[in-house]
Amino acid sequence: MVIKSIHIKKHFVLCISLLTLIIFLVSAIIFYFSKKPSTAITVNSENEDDFIKWVDFTVPCSVLKRTSELDINSHNNNEAITYNWIELLAYLACIYGGNFKNYKSSDLDKIVENLKSGKTMEDLTSTLTFYDYYLEAYSAVLSGFIGNYAIETTDDNGNTYYESHYGLKAFSPIAKNYYFTHYKDFGNSRSYGFRRTHLGNDLMGSIGTPIIAVESGIVEQLGWNQYGGWRVGIRSFDGKRYYYYAHLRKDHPYVEGLEKGDTIKAGDVIGYLGMTGYSIKENVNNINVAHLHFGMQLIFDESQVDSPNEIWIDVYEIVEFLKANTSEVYLSNEETKDYSRKYDIMDETIGDR
């Protein structure tokens, strides 16, 4: 009986050990995948198709605002430690697996405290497996938004001059003093032509509202599209962002003289809000509500252009964020009823273009 009891105890201990090992392995797997990004990514390799295939951008406006303020204020105040808002966001994305519903301001405070204590971003991210992915992905989204620029300014005597700044140099797609509303509609169902998802954000406003170039770039597409009506597509200078502005006004969709291949400055008037689209026939108002369809496509490789591999992100929070910087316009041509920006901008990214 004693021998039998010893065998039972051995089996019991073995079972407990195995169970403990299983629990440990399951916990480790859960922890690992909880830290993985919620997006599909590529693993570094020597293959020619080693580029990002998908980005799910979920950063709230409040977080964009706070990280951008840390970046801008630290540079303008010549602080000993300057911050890069995209690096801060990439770090936070690693913590949350890309899901910013888990965001806590204390997490950002901790990063700032660590950087102030002398640690570098390289130190803080050395063990974060997906930091490089998020840094590249978020840089593709936001790299043209903050930097050095000079804005035309008027003094008390009415003289104009250019004042240098470091800060937000991307603009709201709706001109200053023009009202609009929008809601989270990215991914909603659309049925015209075929069932598909909505790959942008609809900004409801009045017909004729001046539409503004969010970022400087090159006009890559211009003309009629049966889904988007009169539309403009502008590619950022670094090639990473393609801005899509659709459903522009019937009869006079674009600002006078706009042509494919033109260089556009952030803040320029490019067209006017309307209701065109949903028709093979050009210049038809088949949209029920006047609005601007605004979208952003990310391009990491040219094979992603005009293909099933296109990457479109939800820009709702970006539109909210850009409300902080609107371009003031005025009626510049009574005959054509065209508007122009009131204050010009000089941007280092434009250069001699």
Side-chain angles (χ1 to χ4, degrees), residues 131-148:
Y131 176 74
D132 289 341
Y133 160 74
Y134 281 117
L135 183 61
E136 183 179 357
Y138 287 7
S139 293
V141 178
L142 301 170
S143 61
F145 281 42
I146 289 178
N148 294 304

Side-chain angles (χ1 to χ4, degrees), residues 175-237:
K176 186 175 183 177
N177 299 323
Y178 285 83
Y179 178 77
F180 75 93
T181 62
H182 68 142
Y183 62 96
K184 290 180 177 290
D185 56 348
F186 184 84
N188 288 356
S189 178
R190 293 291 185 269
S191 59
Y192 172 78
F194 61 96
R195 186 164 294 280
R196 63 197 189 282
T197 56
H198 188 233
L199 299 177
N201 185 209
D202 288 343
L203 283 56
M204 272 64 74
S206 300
I207 291 178
T209 294
I211 302 304
I212 302 300
V214 168
E215 184 184 349
S216 301
I218 304 294
V219 177
E220 196 167 86
Q221 295 292 339
L222 187 73
W224 182 263
N225 176 286
Q226 66 168 309
Y227 302 102
W230 295 121
R231 90 296 192 213
V232 182
I234 298 177
R235 187 85 164 261
S236 62
F237 291 137

Side-chain angles (χ1 to χ4, degrees), residues 34-106:
S34 70
K35 297 302 180 184
K36 286 188 70 176
S38 58
T39 58
I41 68 171
T42 58
V43 178
N44 289 335
S45 69
E46 296 181 356
N47 296 331
E48 291 183 359
D49 65 347
D50 179 23
F51 52 85
I52 292 177
K53 307 298 192 301
W54 186 251
V55 176
D56 187 16
F57 189 77
T58 67
V59 184
C61 173
S62 58
V63 184
L64 291 173
K65 183 178 179 180
R66 185 162 180 228
T67 52
S68 65
E69 287 173 348
L70 284 166
D71 184 323
I72 294 168
N73 291 338
S74 66
H75 283 81
N76 287 333
N77 296 332
N78 295 316
E79 297 178 7
I81 303 297
T82 55
Y83 307 105
N84 180 311
W85 71 316
I86 300 176
E87 292 179 351
L88 297 174
L89 291 171
Y91 185 103
L92 291 171
C94 289
I95 297 175
Y96 309 134
N99 184 359
F100 275 80
K101 290 181 179 179
N102 300 319
Y103 170 75
K104 293 183 293 185
S105 59
S106 58

Side-chain angles (χ1 to χ4, degrees), residues 109-303:
D109 292 337
K110 186 175 181 180
I111 302 172
V112 171
E113 289 172 6
N114 283 328
L115 292 172
K116 283 183 176 179
S117 71
K119 293 183 179 179
T120 65
M121 189 58 74
E122 288 74 18
D123 296 330
L124 299 178
T125 60
S126 60
T127 60
L128 298 179
T129 305
F130 298 106
Y131 176 74
D132 289 341
Y133 160 74
Y134 281 117
L135 183 61
E136 183 179 357
Y138 287 7
S139 293
V141 178
L142 301 170
S143 61
F145 281 42
I146 289 178
N148 294 304
Y149 66 96
I151 191 77
E152 188 179 12
T153 307
T154 305
D155 63 20
D156 294 336
N157 296 320
N159 300 314
T160 60
Y161 63 98
Y162 284 88
E163 189 174 82
S164 297
H165 292 273
Y166 176 88
L168 183 59
K169 59 180 183 176
F171 290 84
S172 167
I174 301 295
K176 186 175 183 177
N177 299 323
Y178 285 83
Y179 178 77
F180 75 93
T181 62
H182 68 142
Y183 62 96
K184 290 180 177 290
D185 56 348
F186 184 84
N188 288 356
S189 178
R190 293 291 185 269
S191 59
Y192 172 78
F194 61 96
R195 186 164 294 280
R196 63 197 189 282
T197 56
H198 188 233
L199 299 177
N201 185 209
D202 288 343
L203 283 56
M204 272 64 74
S206 300
I207 291 178
T209 294
I211 302 304
I212 302 300
V214 168
E215 184 184 349
S216 301
I218 304 294
V219 177
E220 196 167 86
Q221 295 292 339
L222 187 73
W224 182 263
N225 176 286
Q226 66 168 309
Y227 302 102
W230 295 121
R231 90 296 192 213
V232 182
I234 298 177
R235 187 85 164 261
S236 62
F237 291 137
D238 65 4
K240 298 295 185 181
R241 290 166 299 289
Y242 175 78
Y243 294 94
Y244 184 66
Y245 309 81
H247 306 313
L248 302 183
R249 184 175 60 183
K250 181 180 179 179
D251 297 328
H252 192 68
Y254 312 119
V255 70
E256 185 181 21
L258 188 69
E259 295 182 0
K260 187 175 179 179
D262 284 352
T263 296
I264 298 297
K265 291 182 180 182
D268 282 353
V269 178
I270 56 175
Y272 305 97
L273 189 148
M275 299 173 60
T276 59
Y278 283 19
S279 174
I280 295 175
K281 184 179 178 181
E282 289 189 3
N283 206 35
V284 175
N285 278 339
N286 269 352
I287 302 298
N288 295 327
V289 179
H291 69 274
L292 169 71
H293 171 100
F294 173 64
M296 183 194 292
Q297 180 188 4
L298 303 183
I299 302 170
F300 297 93
D301 185 85
E302 289 303 307
S303 65

